[in-house]
Amino acid sequence: MTQQLEIVTVSEQNIKGLKLLNAAVLPVVYPDRFYKDLLSHHARLALWNADVIGGISWRLEPLTSARLSVGPIRHRLSIMTLAVLATYRRHGAGAALMQQAMDFCSDHDSIDEVLIYVQVNNDDAIRFYERFGLRIVDTVKNYYPRINPPDCYVMKKFLFEQSVTG
């Protein structure tokens, strides 16, 4: 039997798999409300032979400057969660999930940037996101008040260079 990686959209029928995955992998516990709200955002599961091995969720947020501008509202894609079971890391599942988010950006020209918050000691995750062009742009102290270390990096990828005219 050939083992296969499959990426599927999260739905009411499979969201429990994402909840169990996040609880097993991520240091933050998300309330039930998070998962209910997630159904109105964007989320994907990575399946290996129909077993949930990874997941990603993101939402679109209007950029702060969009409230002040005239014209179409610009957005950022904010990655809320990305998790892969340890035994399946470095086999392409995380990259396939992240590529789903990057492809979503390519398909929606109102998205100017990608953003994620990463715990400062998560070197593997930092290197992973750097492979997709995200860079550390800031540090937030005490972002995770219930875990140690509590600080996180803000990582961003700007999807196009803005021209400045003077």
Side-chain angles (χ1 to χ4, degrees):
M1 180 174 155
T2 304
Q3 296 182 335
Q4 280 188 266
L5 177 67
E6 181 183 9
I7 306 297
V8 299
T9 300
V10 170
S11 66
E12 287 185 36
Q13 290 73 35
N14 62 20
I15 197 163
K16 184 177 180 182
L18 181 62
K19 184 176 180 180
L20 292 171
L21 170 79
N22 286 347
V25 175
L26 300 177
V28 176
V29 177
Y30 293 92
D32 289 338
R33 176 73 186 194
F34 172 83
Y35 294 98
K36 183 178 179 186
D37 292 346
L38 195 62
L39 292 171
S40 65
H41 295 292
H42 306 277
R44 306 288 186 273
L45 289 174
L47 307 178
W48 189 261
N49 291 337
D51 294 327
V52 174
I53 63 157
I56 187 171
S57 64
W58 69 84
R59 67 179 171 220
L60 293 181
E61 301 171 341
L63 291 170
T64 305
S65 61
R67 293 183 208 131
L68 305 174
S69 67
V70 177
I73 295 176
R74 309 303 303 168
H75 294 91
R76 95 171 31 102
L77 183 140
S78 179
I79 298 172
M80 297 182 293
T81 63
L82 176 59
V84 175
L85 292 173
T87 55
Y88 292 92
R89 292 181 191 155
R90 303 194 195 300
H91 294 294
L97 290 164
M98 187 67 181
Q99 192 60 53
Q100 291 281 311
M102 301 309 289
D103 290 347
F104 184 88
C105 292
S106 296
D107 293 341
H108 296 82
D109 63 2
S110 71
I111 302 172
D112 290 342
E113 64 187 44
V114 178
L115 170 134
I116 190 163
Y117 295 89
V118 181
Q119 196 173 12
V120 295
N121 67 338
N122 194 341
D123 296 331
D124 289 340
I126 292 164
R127 282 191 297 276
F128 173 82
Y129 295 120
E130 286 174 339
R131 287 191 359 236
F132 285 90
L134 283 86
R135 300 290 175 250
I136 295 170
V137 297
D138 200 2
T139 302
V140 179
K141 299 290 185 190
N142 297 311
Y143 184 79
Y144 301 109
R146 293 180 181 91
I147 60 176
N148 191 27
D151 302 339
C152 76
Y153 290 130
V154 178
M155 297 186 74
K156 285 186 181 182
K157 177 178 182 174
F158 297 97
L159 299 177
F160 68 91
E161 294 295 322
Q162 296 179 336
S163 62
V164 179
T165 57

